[in-house]
Amino acid sequence: MAMALEEIYEPKFLNSSHGFRPKRGTHSALLSITGWHGTKWFIEGDISKCFGILDHHILEQLLKKEIFSKPFIELYWKAVKSHYINPINKVEKFSSVGVLQGGVLSPMLSNIYLHGLDKLMQINFEKSKKNWPNKQR
């Protein structure tokens, strides 16, 4: 599933998106922002508990925009339905949010989920860049 999703979504993701992507990470993000090879420090932002709060139904709707295979969507639901047994009362529980942290599919699903935020940030960045003072002054 992860390989199929990567084939579909990787070309659609923005170049400014570096988290959990092939040949990308903190260092590629830093280099793309600063252009400096000798940067000594950088402030990194992190979306707290991202894997644990992804809504399965929203993610399904995002997937359905690109994936038209009903069996694939059914497989998605099998992948995200996380059951666990409460050790105290032995009750099996299901959560409708979150993806398994450390799972091979989770990074791709989180990037699909956050792609809209990436696009919004890029649009706002481009708008604000037009209002920056000219550096040649």
Side-chain angles (χ1 to χ4, degrees):
M1 280 185 75
M3 289 171 39
L5 289 173
E6 185 175 313
E7 189 73 26
I8 294 166
Y9 284 97
E10 193 57 38
K12 297 177 186 314
F13 292 151
L14 302 178
N15 285 333
S16 58
S17 175
H18 293 265
F20 304 112
R21 292 187 58 202
K23 299 179 183 173
R24 294 175 184 252
T26 306
H27 291 110
S28 65
L30 179 61
L31 185 60
S32 74
I33 291 170
T34 65
W36 301 334
H37 293 278
T39 302
K40 301 292 182 204
W41 61 271
F42 193 80
I43 298 172
E44 179 182 3
D46 191 7
I47 298 175
S48 177
K49 302 177 185 175
C50 176
F51 290 134
I53 62 170
L54 300 181
D55 184 289
H56 297 166
H57 296 283
I58 292 173
L59 193 47
E60 176 191 30
Q61 294 307 311
L62 293 171
L63 289 171
K64 283 182 172 180
K65 289 179 180 180
E66 300 293 332
I67 299 171
F68 307 105
S69 165
K70 185 176 179 182
F72 192 93
I73 298 299
E74 289 171 356
L75 186 57
Y76 156 76
W77 277 108
K78 289 177 183 176
V80 296
K81 283 186 176 179
S82 57
H83 287 80
Y84 70 93
I85 296 177
N86 183 325
I88 297 171
N89 59 10
K90 308 290 187 211
V91 175
E92 189 172 320
K93 297 191 176 190
F94 167 73
S95 175
S96 63
V97 296
V99 292
L100 180 64
Q101 189 166 352
V104 71
L105 194 55
S106 301
M108 178 55 69
L109 292 176
S110 68
N111 278 334
I112 292 167
Y113 200 91
L114 295 172
H115 180 61
L117 175 62
D118 288 342
K119 291 192 312 188
L120 180 64
M121 295 301 292
Q122 181 166 352
I123 290 167
N124 286 328
F125 174 74
E126 293 299 325
K127 285 180 183 177
S128 66
K129 203 163 99 171
K130 291 177 185 176
N131 296 326
W132 289 351
N134 188 342
K135 291 183 179 183
Q136 294 177 352
R137 290 183 192 173

